[in-house]
Amino acid sequence: MAAVNGVSSALDPSNAARSTLKLENTEKRDNLITIEKRYQKKWQDSGVFNAVAPTTAEIPAGSLSKDLHRRHPKYFGSFAFPYMNGTLHAGHSFTASKVEYTAGFARMQGKRVLFPLGFHCTGMPIKACADKLTEDVRKFGKNFENYEEAESVESEDVIPAPTQAETKEDITKFTSKKSKAAAKTVKLKYQFQIMLALGIPKEEIHRFADANYWLEYFPPLCKRDLNNFGARIDWRRSFVTTDANPYYDTFVRWQMHRLKELNKIQYGSRYTIYSPKDGQPCMDHDRTDGEGVAPQEYTALKLNVKEWAPGAAKVLQSKIPDSANVYFVPATLRPETMYGQTCCFVGPKITYGVFKVSESEYFVITKRAAWNMAFQDIFFKNGKFPRDANELMPIVELTGASVVGTLVHAPLSVHTEGVRILPMDTVSPTKGTGVVTSVPSDSPDDYATVTDLAKKAEYYGIKKEWAELEIVPIVETPSYGNLTAPFLVKKMKINSPKDTKLLADAKELSYKEGYYKGTMLVGDFKGEAVEAAKPKVRAQLLQHGAAFEYAEPNGHVVSRSADECVVAYLGQWFLNYGENDPAWRDQVLDYVKNDMETYSSETKNGFEKNLEWLNRWACARTYGLGSKLPWEPKFLVESLSDSTIYMAYYTIAHFLHSDIFGTQPGLLSIQPSQMTDEVWDCIFCRREISESLLQSSGISKADLETMRREFEYWYPLDQRISGKDLIPNHLTFFLYIHTALFPREHWPRGVRANGHLMLNGEKMSKSTGNFLTLNDAVTKYGADATRIALADAGDGVEDANFEETVANQIILRMYTLKEWCEDILQDTSLRTDTSPSSTTLWDKLFLNEMHTLVHQAHAHYTATDYKVALKSALYDFTSTRDVYREACLAASTPMSLPLIRTYITLQALLITPIAPHWADYIYQEVLHFETTIQNARWPEVPQPDPSLTATYEYIRATSSAITSAEGQQVKRKNKGKATNYDLELPKRLTIYIATAFPLWQTKYIDLVKSFHAQASLEDKTLNAEVGRMGESKKAMPFVQSLKKRLQSGEEAENVFERKLPFEEVDVLEAMLQGLRKTVGKCRGVEVVGVEGEEEGKKVGRIVRSEGEDVGSVGEERALLGAAEMAVPGGPTFYFENV
């Protein structure tokens, strides 16, 4: 019953978010959402996000793209169009938000902005789900009324598929990691249950048995969610992929034709991941498990049986012809070391099959390996593949234990008399063939195992001498000698085959050293580098029939139809990526290294490694949705191959159609039949407009020029934003195809990869209830709070974190700030006089700090560092307002109304890229601007005044130091320690300021001056010189303060003459009222000037005072506490009871 209840719970759509934050009082949120809905409608109704290129009337056709962009700057950004088998989740919105913020900022820079979005429908996922629903309807009825809940109760431990990192053996290949954590889940057995869990009404689910219905159902939901998010998307350019849109279909066919003409698409036989059930290759987007897994190619050795172990001989009696050859078939990645074979391992508990290859040849391998080989012209010839495992049955089955002791001939081994089959407990039945040849000279695992077998021969039931054949040096290495494995096992103190972690480390060290630095000591290629000899040894083994090629997936792969995939060797159409077209590969690699903006070294390195590793890619299949391969329409274009340059289609989509299916004409009333390959060539600047083209297409010259202008203006794509997991496939393909089909001036300018999005510090997971769709997030927190929390989540390629508590706090922050803005402008007590005489120091500091933050925010937005941009544009900006408000309150001076209006205006503008709804409300309804803030420009403000900046920093530092010192006394009292004064009694604060700098600073002034004259203030050299001069403890902070002042733009003359950029006494005088109110039980404040340059000969005189129990200006005061440590700009202070 518990399991049944588990299924019922899993079908509840809200169950996916059961562990997320629960909100209670939503009045403030609802108020903000009401505003958001109002502005979203305004934006959509006005078409403010509809991007328009300069017309040919404005700038004549034929103008150079660079001239267009110089006269009319633009930004064209996109993220990977989402797949239409569900609604968008928070991870989608995280990637989309990066385009959003950049687009918003670009608009404020005066650029024309294009942010379009299409809907990806190509591939297997939709079709596979539709077919499953067809079967569910057949089995249970239209509304599944014949279904009984107990039928689908399956509670299981989900074991993660091995990742490439776990199975990696070939260190010469680049791999990408994609793994999933194990979790206890309730498995939903039927597709209709999954649809219920998505929130689709039961009565509507049967309609999804038609694959085309998915294309009708999910795109409107995607558009709804992004509109509710406030996305600046030009929806006129949207489309669905596949031949469901005939215009896009012509675009894909053009692309494939041109790539084939360029010899970038070829036909040939190659290894590929393959689904026996589907009868076609299974590429990344066709998989439910194993994205990024690729074929791993091995050399399969044929170890001929010379003498069977007694147990095996008895089982095999009369089952195999006496004249037949039976081979144990280990698969190896290191054929160059086969000279050193001393035995061959099997798993004693593994069941092996003896499979018939021909009348005279049989293989001993696992069923899994045999099933893989069945698709590689080994058991079935001439491209015939089995559809069912029953077509490949073993002649007989044997346990590994029964074949231990069998004598076999090992090709190339120096032990020509033969080697024995021995037991190895760690042999995996799910990797390779289940048979492992042993080379203890170079494999730490093998050496540890044969050593263990020799020590415990009786325990293992073998003869000791079987495990003690001579270990012959095969490869010489500079670090580990000529017996690498024994050296490493002893050095790393590996005591047993069970020391798996140490053995894995030793294996990697051994392989890298041997492959990259090793030299062959034996064989026909003696003296050659291993890296050069390896392929030659392999070719020799294959040529002599002592081995054959074998491949299998280097991880677990399951197709969308729930089929476990194999590797097949079959004829197919493929894109010729990688080493087979080195000029193409090197062209892309050079562009990535030298010209393309990647925003992070991790992204650039990811591209470089992948380009060095990526090989041919199957671009066609027979099952799913998509466009037909033009020259062989029985095939469909694969989903990662029809989605490489669709950004070019965005530029002219609105001219072709006005709906996503292409059933309604676009702005130019062009029919799909008119969109020939030659027309696409013309639009994309591959050919000129000719009379013959005009006649054959029936499209006017003006319309062709209009479409070409749109492409020329918007291209190249300025920024492609995507998850980092797409670097190994989509993003690399995207670069390859752009470089093949477009001139260099139209290649993508930048790719920004981001990490995955965690939720509340944990991986998003429906099974754990820690999951949010985009609709969930926006409904729960509103658009702007969601957007701000996404900006706060992080910017790098490391995983980011959407923290719901942040989103919830943002609601209160933005509501409170809105209310304050509304109320403060109605406050009649504010100062309205703007004359210089009425301007206070606090006014000047507030305005200057706002200018500072405007420039900081601009720099961060430009660098696409949105987390720190948010800090400058919102958190620091409101903090600066708070400082101003408190300073005015303490000084009993009203705030300036014009300055407050400036603050509110700047606040709205600075936060516009991230929180446009709030900003537009403030801009139009509070500040009463007549146009939307979406069309506003970034504010132009003066550069900060260094003297005011220094004053502001002085006030902050001094106030902080005083309050911190008072706090330390409270902490001492709370811990029962003695305090410097009685905290319960009134006290006086004395601030000591120096009127002259100490003499010891002079030599350090001269030092910094000399470095500055050489335009070199590099820390390492400067700090080293300070250290050599002595007194570094007090000198280093002083030198750094000088450097900071110079770098802030302060005049060098002021710095080196040790002139403060402000009058310290006047600034402190302005602070006195505030300090008296801030410090607890403070009766008065005295500012005491410390006169004299030499320590021990200084005197103090009051220069300013405020409050009660204070002396008069000019009165002499004793120097108490740290008084003599004061320097100009660095006051000290002292508390005493009065």
Side-chain angles (χ1 to χ4, degrees):
M1 182 58 69
V4 173
N5 292 337
V7 172
S8 299
S9 175
L11 298 180
D12 180 359
S14 66
N15 189 54
R18 66 185 183 276
S19 299
T20 60
L21 186 67
K22 303 297 184 290
L23 302 189
E24 294 179 359
N25 187 346
T26 63
E27 181 182 351
K28 294 179 175 62
R29 178 204 68 184
D30 296 342
N31 178 277
L32 293 174
I33 288 178
T34 299
I35 292 171
E36 290 169 354
K37 296 299 181 189
R38 185 160 72 246
Y39 279 87
Q40 286 164 7
K41 186 175 188 304
K42 282 186 177 184
W43 298 336
Q44 294 302 318
D45 290 347
S46 66
V48 69
F49 304 134
N50 292 348
V52 179
T55 65
T56 53
E58 294 176 81
I59 300 178
S63 301
L64 295 175
S65 293
K66 62 176 66 175
D67 293 334
L68 273 173
H69 298 153
R70 178 177 50 79
R71 295 174 63 179
H72 298 281
K74 60 91 181 179
Y75 167 78
F76 177 15
S78 73
F79 72 102
F81 48 20
Y83 197 77
M84 290 296 101
N85 62 345
T87 55
L88 304 185
H89 56 69
H92 288 113
S93 57
F94 179 60
T95 300
S97 71
K98 305 303 182 187
V99 190
E100 254 300 292
Y101 307 147
T102 312
F105 181 59
R107 294 178 69 92
M108 300 188 77
Q109 292 174 295
K111 297 178 181 179
R112 302 191 188 199
V113 171
L114 174 57
F115 176 14
L117 188 69
F119 308 107
H120 199 198
C121 308
T122 308
M124 283 183 59
I126 290 174
K127 177 63 174 168
C129 292
D131 288 351
K132 290 177 185 177
L133 280 174
T134 299
E135 178 60 21
D136 288 354
V137 170
R138 185 195 65 78
K139 188 173 183 180
F140 300 120
K142 180 178 177 181
N143 293 318
F144 316 102
E145 59 272 9
N146 299 323
Y147 163 73
E148 294 182 9
E149 190 167 349
E151 291 186 39
S152 68
V153 176
E154 291 186 27
S155 182
E156 62 173 24
D157 286 311
V158 179
I159 300 172
T163 65
Q164 286 182 306
E166 292 166 341
T167 61
K168 182 177 177 182
E169 289 191 15
D170 190 346
I171 51 87
T172 67
K173 303 295 185 184
F174 167 73
T175 58
S176 65
K177 297 179 181 179
K178 187 180 179 83
S179 62
K180 296 181 179 179
K184 186 79 172 179
T185 66
V186 175
K187 182 180 179 182
L188 299 179
K189 185 175 181 181
Y190 298 107
Q191 183 64 37
F192 82 89
Q193 295 174 315
I194 296 172
M195 307 302 283
L196 284 170
L198 288 173
I200 297 170
K202 183 184 289 187
E203 296 72 23
E204 194 170 354
I205 290 175
H206 69 91
R207 302 181 68 181
F208 289 86
D210 175 3
N212 290 319
Y213 186 66
W214 296 67
L215 280 60
E216 298 172 11
Y217 186 85
F218 285 111
L221 296 182
C222 175
K223 182 177 179 180
R224 174 204 69 187
D225 292 348
L226 285 165
N227 279 340
N228 290 342
F229 185 62
R232 300 174 173 92
I233 293 173
D234 182 351
W235 291 111
R236 300 173 305 153
R237 301 168 188 261
S238 299
F239 56 89
V240 294
T241 63
T242 77
D243 53 9
N245 184 318
Y247 293 96
Y248 188 75
D249 190 53
T250 67
F251 169 72
V252 173
R253 286 191 278 113
W254 163 79
Q255 172 187 336
M256 303 308 283
H257 268 142
R258 294 302 179 247
L259 288 170
K260 186 170 183 288
E261 289 169 3
L262 292 167
N263 208 33
K264 304 304 182 186
I265 294 179
Q266 299 178 4
Y267 186 86
S269 295
R270 59 185 291 272
Y271 290 115
T272 190
I273 305 294
Y274 183 87
S275 166
K277 180 179 178 180
D278 301 328
Q280 66 175 11
C282 184
M283 310 313 288
D284 273 2
H285 282 189
D286 300 328
R287 306 172 188 176
T288 58
D289 196 6
E291 184 175 341
V293 172
Q296 175 66 69
E297 297 184 33
Y298 293 92
T299 302
L301 289 172
K302 296 165 69 174
L303 276 60
N304 198 352
V305 174
K306 299 177 68 173
E307 175 189 309
W308 284 104
K314 186 176 180 180
V315 174
L316 289 166
Q317 192 172 7
S318 74
K319 300 287 178 62
I320 297 173
D322 292 339
S323 60
N325 290 311
V326 182
Y327 299 96
F328 281 79
V329 184
T332 182
L333 291 169
R334 304 194 64 186
E336 76 282 4
T337 65
M338 292 303 101
Y339 301 101
Q341 295 175 86
T342 63
C343 64
C344 180
F345 296 127
V346 295
K349 297 178 183 178
I350 296 175
T351 298
Y352 295 86
V354 180
F355 292 90
K356 181 179 178 180
V357 181
S358 66
E359 294 298 330
S360 60
E361 194 171 40
Y362 294 79
F363 289 169
V364 181
I365 49 180
T366 60
K367 286 184 179 180
R368 174 187 167 279
W371 184 238
N372 260 280
M373 290 180 186
F375 297 87
Q376 298 172 27
D377 283 335
I378 294 173
F379 298 113
F380 296 85
K381 304 297 183 182
N382 302 319
K384 178 189 174 186
F385 293 161
R387 295 299 292 270
D388 190 281
N390 291 328
E391 296 180 51
L392 183 66
M393 299 299 291
I395 301 301
V396 66
E397 291 186 335
L398 299 165
T399 64
S402 69
V403 300
V404 169
T406 297
L407 184 67
V408 295
H409 169 72
L412 295 185
S413 173
V414 296
H415 299 290
T416 55
E417 70 283 1
V419 300
R420 297 285 177 174
I421 302 294
L422 298 180
M424 186 182 199
D425 290 333
T426 56
V427 171
S428 171
T430 59
K431 183 177 177 183
T433 61
V435 180
V436 180
T437 191
S438 172
V439 183
S441 58
D442 291 85
S443 168
D445 286 283
D446 295 352
Y447 180 74
T449 300
V450 295
T451 302
D452 189 58
L453 288 171
K455 287 180 182 177
K456 305 173 184 177
E458 185 176 349
Y459 171 78
Y460 288 111
I462 65 170
K463 295 182 180 180
K464 186 176 182 181
E465 59 267 24
W466 291 351
E468 290 188 325
L469 295 187
E470 181 185 0
I471 298 174
V472 179
I474 305 299
V475 174
E476 180 73 40
T477 66
S479 300
Y480 312 132
N482 58 20
L483 290 173
T484 296
F487 178 91
L488 286 171
V489 167
K490 291 169 186 173
K491 179 183 178 182
M492 298 174 71
K493 299 180 181 178
I494 299 171
N495 300 315
S496 153
K498 295 179 181 179
D499 292 338
T500 52
K501 175 64 172 66
L502 288 174
L503 283 168
D505 294 342
K507 177 180 180 179
E508 185 168 358
L509 291 171
S510 170
Y511 198 172
K512 285 184 177 179
E513 179 80 7
Y515 182 78
Y516 291 113
K517 300 179 181 179
T519 303
M520 297 298 298
L521 296 175
V522 296
D524 293 346
F525 309 103
K526 179 180 179 180
E528 293 191 22
V530 168
E531 193 170 358
K534 178 177 179 175
K536 297 178 183 178
V537 175
R538 185 175 194 259
Q540 191 178 71
L541 285 165
L542 298 175
Q543 182 181 355
H544 294 160
F548 59 92
E549 295 176 337
Y550 168 65
E552 65 181 31
N554 62 0
H556 188 240
V557 181
V558 178
S559 75
R560 296 281 180 179
S561 58
D563 184 35
E564 185 169 347
C565 294
V566 297
V567 166
Y569 188 73
L570 75 165
Q572 58 187 286
W573 292 101
F574 57 83
L575 279 154
N576 198 31
Y577 301 137
E579 60 187 14
N580 295 290
D581 192 339
W584 192 16
R585 178 199 60 199
D586 293 345
Q587 182 183 50
V588 179
L589 194 56
D590 175 72
Y591 187 65
V592 169
K593 287 181 175 179
N594 300 312
D595 293 297
M596 191 177 77
E597 174 63 67
T598 58
Y599 299 91
S600 73
S601 58
E602 294 92 338
T603 298
K604 177 175 283 191
N605 293 338
F607 273 119
E608 291 177 7
K609 290 178 181 178
N610 194 55
L611 285 162
E612 292 167 359
W613 163 83
L614 182 69
N615 213 321
R616 294 167 169 172
W617 185 269
C619 62
R621 63 180 130 58
T622 57
Y623 176 80
L625 303 179
S627 296
K628 293 180 175 61
L629 201 63
W631 56 88
E632 197 165 355
K634 70 177 182 180
F635 290 111
L636 299 170
V637 180
E638 181 264 337
S639 64
L640 280 169
S641 301
D642 82 336
S643 56
T644 53
I645 57 169
Y646 62 87
M647 311 85 204
Y649 187 82
Y650 281 140
T651 64
I652 51 87
H654 60 308
F655 291 130
L656 303 180
H657 51 82
S658 58
D659 69 318
I660 62 175
F661 295 101
T663 60
Q664 301 298 319
L667 298 177
L668 298 182
S669 298
I670 294 170
Q671 298 300 311
S673 59
Q674 295 176 278
M675 297 303 296
T676 63
D677 288 352
E678 291 71 28
V679 169
W680 286 112
D681 283 339
C682 176
I683 292 169
F684 296 145
C685 309
R686 292 169 55 90
R687 63 170 291 166
E688 295 305 316
I689 300 173
S690 64
E691 267 314 309
S692 62
L693 178 62
L694 296 175
Q695 291 179 7
S696 63
S697 68
I699 303 175
S700 71
K701 182 178 181 181
D703 286 351
L704 286 173
E705 287 180 340
T706 295
M707 289 190 287
R708 185 166 183 163
R709 161 55 54 81
E710 197 84 7
F711 169 75
E712 284 182 309
Y713 178 68
W714 292 117
Y715 248 57
L717 182 69
D718 294 288
Q719 188 181 55
R720 179 69 167 173
I721 296 182
S722 183
K724 62 185 177 182
D725 54 310
L726 293 186
I727 292 175
N729 44 57
H730 163 70
L731 289 174
T732 302
F733 302 169
F734 153 80
L735 296 179
Y736 260 117
I737 304 305
H738 270 89
T739 60
L741 293 179
F742 298 115
R744 194 179 186 94
E745 68 189 72
H746 290 147
W747 294 358
R749 286 177 175 165
V751 175
R752 189 185 192 282
N754 53 258
H756 301 297
L757 184 69
M758 296 190 296
L759 180 60
N760 302 322
E762 301 289 340
K763 179 187 172 184
M764 278 206 293
S765 168
K766 290 182 179 179
S767 63
T768 62
N770 191 50
F771 187 84
L772 283 179
T773 65
L774 174 55
N775 185 55
D776 291 337
V778 171
T779 301
K780 192 171 186 178
Y781 299 109
D784 281 342
T786 299
R787 294 167 67 107
I788 291 171
L790 286 169
D792 189 71
D795 290 306
V797 295
E798 65 277 1
D799 288 349
N801 180 38
F802 183 94
E803 192 63 57
E804 287 191 278
T805 55
V806 171
N808 195 31
Q809 290 162 5
I810 287 297
I811 293 172
L812 178 61
R813 175 185 283 269
M814 302 311 289
Y815 180 83
T816 303
L817 185 56
K818 175 185 77 72
E819 294 280 289
W820 183 85
C821 292
E822 292 168 342
D823 294 342
I824 197 66
L825 293 179
Q826 308 302 318
D827 190 341
T828 58
S829 69
L830 298 185
R831 285 182 289 123
T832 57
D833 187 357
T834 58
S835 64
S837 61
S838 69
T839 302
T840 69
L841 173 64
W842 303 112
D843 293 340
K844 295 176 183 177
L845 293 176
F846 183 35
L847 183 61
N848 188 73
E849 187 63 13
M850 286 194 288
H851 292 167
T852 298
L853 291 171
V854 168
H855 287 289
Q856 281 183 9
H858 187 281
H860 296 320
Y861 277 127
T862 301
T864 71
D865 292 333
Y866 300 113
K867 186 178 177 73
V868 287
L870 175 67
K871 181 176 183 294
S872 297
L874 179 62
Y875 300 135
D876 290 350
F877 214 71
T878 52
S879 294
T880 297
R881 177 211 59 179
D882 294 342
V883 170
Y884 175 63
R885 181 172 57 182
E886 290 162 11
C888 289
L889 182 64
S892 300
T893 303
M895 294 185 292
S896 164
L897 178 60
L899 201 53
I900 288 299
R901 184 177 176 85
T902 298
Y903 160 76
I904 295 173
T905 304
L906 291 175
Q907 177 65 91
L909 291 168
L910 263 60
I911 202 63
T912 293
I914 295 174
H917 308 84
W918 186 93
D920 214 357
Y921 170 80
I922 296 295
Y923 197 69
Q924 293 194 60
E925 298 189 39
V926 177
L927 296 169
H928 304 296
F929 285 94
E930 294 182 357
T931 59
T932 174
I933 204 168
Q934 296 282 10
N935 292 330
R937 295 292 180 263
W938 186 264
E940 293 186 10
V941 299
Q943 287 293 327
D945 182 333
S947 65
L948 290 173
T949 300
T951 303
Y952 190 78
E953 290 299 321
Y954 174 86
I955 291 172
R956 287 178 60 174
T958 303
S959 299
S960 176
I962 291 170
T963 54
S964 176
E966 188 178 27
Q968 287 297 321
Q969 295 300 309
V970 173
K971 287 182 180 179
R972 290 182 63 86
K973 181 181 178 182
N974 292 339
K975 292 180 179 180
K977 297 181 179 180
T979 59
N980 296 340
Y981 56 89
D982 192 329
L983 302 182
E984 303 301 322
L985 297 177
K987 60 178 175 286
R988 179 173 61 217
L989 168 64
T990 302
I991 301 174
Y992 296 103
I993 62 171
T995 58
F997 287 93
L999 293 174
W1000 65 265
Q1001 291 183 352
T1002 303
K1003 59 182 177 181
Y1004 295 102
I1005 290 278
D1006 294 338
L1007 173 67
V1008 175
K1009 187 184 293 186
S1010 66
F1011 271 78
H1012 183 258
Q1014 300 169 32
S1016 172
L1017 287 173
E1018 195 268 321
D1019 269 339
K1020 187 175 180 181
T1021 308
L1022 181 60
N1023 292 350
E1025 190 62 31
V1026 172
R1028 280 194 290 271
M1029 293 170 70
E1031 304 176 298
S1032 61
K1033 187 173 181 179
K1034 63 180 179 180
M1036 198 69 76
F1038 173 66
V1039 167
Q1040 289 300 319
S1041 69
L1042 295 176
K1043 179 181 170 182
K1044 185 176 180 180
R1045 288 173 64 186
L1046 290 167
Q1047 292 176 334
S1048 73
E1050 193 175 334
E1051 291 292 334
E1053 181 182 357
N1054 285 347
V1055 175
F1056 294 134
E1057 289 184 9
R1058 289 184 284 185
K1059 292 180 180 177
L1060 291 180
F1062 53 87
E1063 291 295 333
E1064 188 172 12
V1065 173
D1066 293 343
V1067 172
L1068 283 171
E1069 183 176 20
M1071 294 175 63
L1072 291 184
Q1073 286 188 28
L1075 287 173
R1076 187 181 170 199
K1077 292 179 180 179
T1078 302
V1079 175
K1081 298 182 182 299
C1082 184
R1083 295 285 295 273
V1085 183
E1086 293 181 347
V1087 179
V1088 174
V1090 181
E1091 301 172 359
E1093 296 183 349
E1094 296 184 33
E1095 294 184 16
K1097 298 182 179 180
K1098 297 180 180 180
V1099 296
R1101 298 184 189 280
I1102 298 174
V1103 293
R1104 295 288 188 278
S1105 61
E1106 167 72 22
E1108 304 173 16
D1109 294 317
V1110 295
S1112 303
V1113 172
E1115 186 177 335
E1116 192 169 313
R1117 280 282 190 244
L1119 300 180
L1120 304 174
E1124 292 199 17
M1125 297 299 293
V1127 295
T1132 59
F1133 43 88
Y1134 183 76
F1135 294 106
E1136 60 183 327
N1137 291 119
V1138 293

